Amino acid sequence: AAWPNDPCEHAAYLRQALICIDTAGDQPVSKPLVKTMSVLISKFQNSPDLNTVMQAITTIQGDLKATAETVQSKAIKVQQNTITHQQVATLSQETNQAVKEAVEARRTTTELMQETNDIAKAINDTTKAMYGMVKVVQSTPHSKASYASVFSSNAVPLSRPITISSQTSPFI
């Protein structure tokens, strides 16, 4: 016999069986009725206890709730880690940019120091030449020497012309 899905159908079968038994009185009950009652009783005996089913459902609901909370917590941690990683990446980019700027500033400073050294050498060479001319002028009587003749005869050639960079440093 097919097992009805609705408990009300089971109750209807049992009511019909009880009515048949009551109406039979002292008469024997028909075999199909006894068979139907036997099947229903067997099925009810084998059906799970509703309290056990409810406890299992409650346990499953609790487990699902705990799982959902764990998943939500993990999702929040993943989101926080993502934000942290983005901040680290941004900081790394900013650090790389600062290092590039420092390297460029050092290169510019090195160039300016080289130009300053070159200018200092040129000034030193010019000072030596001027000092030599002053000595010649001082040792020669004023009437015999002109400044142009002293300069043209005793000039020390400059090692290289003085140039000033058109680059500007961010430190100036």
Side-chain angles (χ1 to χ4, degrees), residues 76-98:
I76 289 170
K77 287 181 182 178
V78 166
Q79 186 178 19
Q80 289 170 343
N81 284 344
T82 301
I83 291 169
T84 301
H85 288 219
Q86 289 171 343
Q87 290 171 340
V88 167
T90 300
L91 184 60
S92 176
Q93 289 173 347
E94 290 171 357
T95 301
N96 287 341
Q97 184 61 33

PDB file of all heavy atoms in Angstrom, residues 76-98:
ATOM      1  N   ILE A  76      34.848  39.344   6.628  1.00  0.00           N
ATOM      2  CA  ILE A  76      35.291  40.630   7.173  1.00  0.00           C
ATOM      3  C   ILE A  76      36.807  40.655   7.281  1.00  0.00           C
ATOM      4  O   ILE A  76      37.462  41.642   6.923  1.00  0.00           O
ATOM      5  CB  ILE A  76      34.616  40.908   8.540  1.00  0.00           C
ATOM      6  CG1 ILE A  76      33.129  41.209   8.330  1.00  0.00           C
ATOM      7  CG2 ILE A  76      35.305  42.051   9.269  1.00  0.00           C
ATOM      8  CD1 ILE A  76      32.318  41.250   9.614  1.00  0.00           C
ATOM      9  N   LYS A  77      37.406  39.548   7.753  1.00  0.00           N
ATOM     10  CA  LYS A  77      38.871  39.483   7.864  1.00  0.00           C
ATOM     11  C   LYS A  77      39.532  39.565   6.498  1.00  0.00           C
ATOM     12  O   LYS A  77      40.558  40.238   6.338  1.00  0.00           O
ATOM     13  CB  LYS A  77      39.295  38.200   8.585  1.00  0.00           C
ATOM     14  CG  LYS A  77      39.019  38.228  10.068  1.00  0.00           C
ATOM     15  CD  LYS A  77      39.462  36.951  10.752  1.00  0.00           C
ATOM     16  CE  LYS A  77      39.115  36.992  12.241  1.00  0.00           C
ATOM     17  NZ  LYS A  77      39.481  35.753  12.916  1.00  0.00           N
ATOM     18  N   VAL A  78      38.948  38.898   5.502  1.00  0.00           N
ATOM     19  CA  VAL A  78      39.494  38.957   4.139  1.00  0.00           C
ATOM     20  C   VAL A  78      39.413  40.393   3.617  1.00  0.00           C
ATOM     21  O   VAL A  78      40.362  40.896   3.006  1.00  0.00           O
ATOM     22  CB  VAL A  78      38.736  37.977   3.202  1.00  0.00           C
ATOM     23  CG1 VAL A  78      39.030  38.262   1.745  1.00  0.00           C
ATOM     24  CG2 VAL A  78      39.097  36.546   3.549  1.00  0.00           C
ATOM     25  N   GLN A  79      38.299  41.052   3.880  1.00  0.00           N
ATOM     26  CA  GLN A  79      38.138  42.439   3.440  1.00  0.00           C
ATOM     27  C   GLN A  79      39.174  43.339   4.130  1.00  0.00           C
ATOM     28  O   GLN A  79      39.788  44.191   3.491  1.00  0.00           O
ATOM     29  CB  GLN A  79      36.721  42.917   3.754  1.00  0.00           C
ATOM     30  CG  GLN A  79      36.408  44.301   3.204  1.00  0.00           C
ATOM     31  CD  GLN A  79      34.971  44.715   3.499  1.00  0.00           C
ATOM     32  OE1 GLN A  79      34.319  44.157   4.380  1.00  0.00           O
ATOM     33  NE2 GLN A  79      34.476  45.683   2.771  1.00  0.00           N
ATOM     34  N   GLN A  80      39.384  43.133   5.426  1.00  0.00           N
ATOM     35  CA  GLN A  80      40.380  43.927   6.154  1.00  0.00           C
ATOM     36  C   GLN A  80      41.785  43.647   5.614  1.00  0.00           C
ATOM     37  O   GLN A  80      42.587  44.572   5.455  1.00  0.00           O
ATOM     38  CB  GLN A  80      40.319  43.614   7.650  1.00  0.00           C
ATOM     39  CG  GLN A  80      39.070  44.146   8.325  1.00  0.00           C
ATOM     40  CD  GLN A  80      38.902  43.622   9.749  1.00  0.00           C
ATOM     41  OE1 GLN A  80      39.515  42.641  10.143  1.00  0.00           O
ATOM     42  NE2 GLN A  80      38.036  44.285  10.520  1.00  0.00           N
ATOM     43  N   ASN A  81      42.081  42.379   5.324  1.00  0.00           N
ATOM     44  CA  ASN A  81      43.390  42.033   4.757  1.00  0.00           C
ATOM     45  C   ASN A  81      43.576  42.665   3.387  1.00  0.00           C
ATOM     46  O   ASN A  81      44.664  43.127   3.052  1.00  0.00           O
ATOM     47  CB  ASN A  81      43.552  40.512   4.659  1.00  0.00           C
ATOM     48  CG  ASN A  81      43.839  39.874   5.996  1.00  0.00           C
ATOM     49  OD1 ASN A  81      44.200  40.545   6.955  1.00  0.00           O
ATOM     50  ND2 ASN A  81      43.667  38.574   6.074  1.00  0.00           N
ATOM     51  N   THR A  82      42.521  42.700   2.603  1.00  0.00           N
ATOM     52  CA  THR A  82      42.590  43.325   1.280  1.00  0.00           C
ATOM     53  C   THR A  82      42.897  44.809   1.424  1.00  0.00           C
ATOM     54  O   THR A  82      43.748  45.343   0.698  1.00  0.00           O
ATOM     55  CB  THR A  82      41.264  43.112   0.525  1.00  0.00           C
ATOM     56  OG1 THR A  82      41.024  41.713   0.395  1.00  0.00           O
ATOM     57  CG2 THR A  82      41.302  43.757  -0.841  1.00  0.00           C
ATOM     58  N   ILE A  83      42.235  45.463   2.352  1.00  0.00           N
ATOM     59  CA  ILE A  83      42.481  46.897   2.586  1.00  0.00           C
ATOM     60  C   ILE A  83      43.925  47.104   3.032  1.00  0.00           C
ATOM     61  O   ILE A  83      44.614  48.003   2.551  1.00  0.00           O
ATOM     62  CB  ILE A  83      41.478  47.464   3.616  1.00  0.00           C
ATOM     63  CG1 ILE A  83      40.074  47.507   3.006  1.00  0.00           C
ATOM     64  CG2 ILE A  83      41.901  48.845   4.097  1.00  0.00           C
ATOM     65  CD1 ILE A  83      38.970  47.800   4.012  1.00  0.00           C
ATOM     66  N   THR A  84      44.403  46.248   3.950  1.00  0.00           N
ATOM     67  CA  THR A  84      45.787  46.354   4.432  1.00  0.00           C
ATOM     68  C   THR A  84      46.766  46.165   3.276  1.00  0.00           C
ATOM     69  O   THR A  84      47.732  46.915   3.146  1.00  0.00           O
ATOM     70  CB  THR A  84      46.056  45.315   5.536  1.00  0.00           C
ATOM     71  OG1 THR A  84      45.142  45.555   6.618  1.00  0.00           O
ATOM     72  CG2 THR A  84      47.479  45.394   6.036  1.00  0.00           C
ATOM     73  N   HIS A  85      46.518  45.187   2.431  1.00  0.00           N
ATOM     74  CA  HIS A  85      47.409  44.940   1.291  1.00  0.00           C
ATOM     75  C   HIS A  85      47.406  46.126   0.326  1.00  0.00           C
ATOM     76  O   HIS A  85      48.447  46.489  -0.217  1.00  0.00           O
ATOM     77  CB  HIS A  85      47.003  43.657   0.564  1.00  0.00           C
ATOM     78  CG  HIS A  85      47.326  42.414   1.340  1.00  0.00           C
ATOM     79  ND1 HIS A  85      47.801  41.277   0.770  1.00  0.00           N
ATOM     80  CD2 HIS A  85      47.261  42.135   2.660  1.00  0.00           C
ATOM     81  CE1 HIS A  85      48.003  40.350   1.689  1.00  0.00           C
ATOM     82  NE2 HIS A  85      47.667  40.856   2.849  1.00  0.00           N
ATOM     83  N   GLN A  86      46.241  46.737   0.134  1.00  0.00           N
ATOM     84  CA  GLN A  86      46.168  47.918  -0.727  1.00  0.00           C
ATOM     85  C   GLN A  86      46.968  49.069  -0.109  1.00  0.00           C
ATOM     86  O   GLN A  86      47.654  49.801  -0.824  1.00  0.00           O
ATOM     87  CB  GLN A  86      44.711  48.333  -0.945  1.00  0.00           C
ATOM     88  CG  GLN A  86      43.934  47.378  -1.828  1.00  0.00           C
ATOM     89  CD  GLN A  86      42.444  47.681  -1.858  1.00  0.00           C
ATOM     90  OE1 GLN A  86      41.916  48.384  -1.003  1.00  0.00           O
ATOM     91  NE2 GLN A  86      41.749  47.131  -2.841  1.00  0.00           N
ATOM     92  N   GLN A  87      46.868  49.230   1.207  1.00  0.00           N
ATOM     93  CA  GLN A  87      47.621  50.294   1.872  1.00  0.00           C
ATOM     94  C   GLN A  87      49.121  50.036   1.761  1.00  0.00           C
ATOM     95  O   GLN A  87      49.901  50.970   1.530  1.00  0.00           O
ATOM     96  CB  GLN A  87      47.204  50.397   3.339  1.00  0.00           C
ATOM     97  CG  GLN A  87      45.803  50.942   3.534  1.00  0.00           C
ATOM     98  CD  GLN A  87      45.314  50.833   4.965  1.00  0.00           C
ATOM     99  OE1 GLN A  87      45.824  50.044   5.750  1.00  0.00           O
ATOM    100  NE2 GLN A  87      44.296  51.619   5.305  1.00  0.00           N
ATOM    101  N   VAL A  88      49.532  48.782   1.913  1.00  0.00           N
ATOM    102  CA  VAL A  88      50.952  48.436   1.786  1.00  0.00           C
ATOM    103  C   VAL A  88      51.428  48.701   0.361  1.00  0.00           C
ATOM    104  O   VAL A  88      52.519  49.242   0.155  1.00  0.00           O
ATOM    105  CB  VAL A  88      51.190  46.956   2.186  1.00  0.00           C
ATOM    106  CG1 VAL A  88      52.569  46.479   1.763  1.00  0.00           C
ATOM    107  CG2 VAL A  88      51.014  46.788   3.688  1.00  0.00           C
ATOM    108  N   ALA A  89      50.612  48.354  -0.627  1.00  0.00           N
ATOM    109  CA  ALA A  89      50.986  48.598  -2.025  1.00  0.00           C
ATOM    110  C   ALA A  89      51.125  50.094  -2.289  1.00  0.00           C
ATOM    111  O   ALA A  89      52.079  50.529  -2.951  1.00  0.00           O
ATOM    112  CB  ALA A  89      49.949  47.981  -2.963  1.00  0.00           C
ATOM    113  N   THR A  90      50.199  50.885  -1.761  1.00  0.00           N
ATOM    114  CA  THR A  90      50.268  52.335  -1.938  1.00  0.00           C
ATOM    115  C   THR A  90      51.523  52.895  -1.259  1.00  0.00           C
ATOM    116  O   THR A  90      52.238  53.717  -1.840  1.00  0.00           O
ATOM    117  CB  THR A  90      49.005  53.004  -1.340  1.00  0.00           C
ATOM    118  OG1 THR A  90      47.863  52.492  -2.017  1.00  0.00           O
ATOM    119  CG2 THR A  90      49.055  54.511  -1.474  1.00  0.00           C
ATOM    120  N   LEU A  91      51.799  52.436  -0.048  1.00  0.00           N
ATOM    121  CA  LEU A  91      52.990  52.884   0.676  1.00  0.00           C
ATOM    122  C   LEU A  91      54.254  52.498  -0.085  1.00  0.00           C
ATOM    123  O   LEU A  91      55.197  53.294  -0.184  1.00  0.00           O
ATOM    124  CB  LEU A  91      53.000  52.287   2.085  1.00  0.00           C
ATOM    125  CG  LEU A  91      54.123  52.728   3.010  1.00  0.00           C
ATOM    126  CD1 LEU A  91      54.078  54.237   3.228  1.00  0.00           C
ATOM    127  CD2 LEU A  91      54.025  52.013   4.341  1.00  0.00           C
ATOM    128  N   SER A  92      54.262  51.316  -0.656  1.00  0.00           N
ATOM    129  CA  SER A  92      55.412  50.860  -1.431  1.00  0.00           C
ATOM    130  C   SER A  92      55.614  51.747  -2.657  1.00  0.00           C
ATOM    131  O   SER A  92      56.747  52.137  -2.976  1.00  0.00           O
ATOM    132  CB  SER A  92      55.207  49.406  -1.858  1.00  0.00           C
ATOM    133  OG  SER A  92      56.266  48.983  -2.670  1.00  0.00           O
ATOM    134  N   GLN A  93      54.535  52.093  -3.332  1.00  0.00           N
ATOM    135  CA  GLN A  93      54.628  52.981  -4.502  1.00  0.00           C
ATOM    136  C   GLN A  93      55.148  54.354  -4.081  1.00  0.00           C
ATOM    137  O   GLN A  93      55.998  54.939  -4.766  1.00  0.00           O
ATOM    138  CB  GLN A  93      53.266  53.115  -5.181  1.00  0.00           C
ATOM    139  CG  GLN A  93      52.826  51.860  -5.910  1.00  0.00           C
ATOM    140  CD  GLN A  93      51.405  51.957  -6.425  1.00  0.00           C
ATOM    141  OE1 GLN A  93      50.646  52.857  -6.050  1.00  0.00           O
ATOM    142  NE2 GLN A  93      51.011  51.027  -7.277  1.00  0.00           N
ATOM    143  N   GLU A  94      54.640  54.868  -2.966  1.00  0.00           N
ATOM    144  CA  GLU A  94      55.094  56.180  -2.489  1.00  0.00           C
ATOM    145  C   GLU A  94      56.571  56.128  -2.108  1.00  0.00           C
ATOM    146  O   GLU A  94      57.327  57.069  -2.381  1.00  0.00           O
ATOM    147  CB  GLU A  94      54.246  56.621  -1.291  1.00  0.00           C
ATOM    148  CG  GLU A  94      52.810  56.977  -1.660  1.00  0.00           C
ATOM    149  CD  GLU A  94      51.919  57.199  -0.451  1.00  0.00           C
ATOM    150  OE1 GLU A  94      52.381  57.020   0.696  1.00  0.00           O
ATOM    151  OE2 GLU A  94      50.733  57.535  -0.661  1.00  0.00           O
ATOM    152  N   THR A  95      56.990  55.027  -1.481  1.00  0.00           N
ATOM    153  CA  THR A  95      58.399  54.868  -1.110  1.00  0.00           C
ATOM    154  C   THR A  95      59.274  54.808  -2.354  1.00  0.00           C
ATOM    155  O   THR A  95      60.335  55.449  -2.408  1.00  0.00           O
ATOM    156  CB  THR A  95      58.584  53.587  -0.266  1.00  0.00           C
ATOM    157  OG1 THR A  95      57.764  53.690   0.900  1.00  0.00           O
ATOM    158  CG2 THR A  95      60.025  53.396   0.139  1.00  0.00           C
ATOM    159  N   ASN A  96      58.847  54.042  -3.355  1.00  0.00           N
ATOM    160  CA  ASN A  96      59.608  53.971  -4.609  1.00  0.00           C
ATOM    161  C   ASN A  96      59.741  55.346  -5.252  1.00  0.00           C
ATOM    162  O   ASN A  96      60.811  55.704  -5.756  1.00  0.00           O
ATOM    163  CB  ASN A  96      58.944  52.992  -5.587  1.00  0.00           C
ATOM    164  CG  ASN A  96      59.130  51.553  -5.182  1.00  0.00           C
ATOM    165  OD1 ASN A  96      60.007  51.223  -4.396  1.00  0.00           O
ATOM    166  ND2 ASN A  96      58.304  50.685  -5.716  1.00  0.00           N
ATOM    167  N   GLN A  97      58.670  56.133  -5.226  1.00  0.00           N
ATOM    168  CA  GLN A  97      58.711  57.476  -5.804  1.00  0.00           C
ATOM    169  C   GLN A  97      59.678  58.356  -5.024  1.00  0.00           C
ATOM    170  O   GLN A  97      60.459  59.115  -5.606  1.00  0.00           O
ATOM    171  CB  GLN A  97      57.304  58.102  -5.823  1.00  0.00           C
ATOM    172  CG  GLN A  97      57.250  59.459  -6.484  1.00  0.00           C
ATOM    173  CD  GLN A  97      57.670  59.421  -7.941  1.00  0.00           C
ATOM    174  OE1 GLN A  97      57.444  58.461  -8.652  1.00  0.00           O
ATOM    175  NE2 GLN A  97      58.311  60.489  -8.393  1.00  0.00           N
ATOM    176  N   ALA A  98      59.642  58.251  -3.690  1.00  0.00           N
ATOM    177  CA  ALA A  98      60.552  59.048  -2.859  1.00  0.00           C
ATOM    178  C   ALA A  98      62.007  58.658  -3.123  1.00  0.00           C
ATOM    179  O   ALA A  98      62.893  59.534  -3.185  1.00  0.00           O
ATOM    180  CB  ALA A  98      60.218  58.869  -1.373  1.00  0.00           C
TER     181      ALA A  98
END
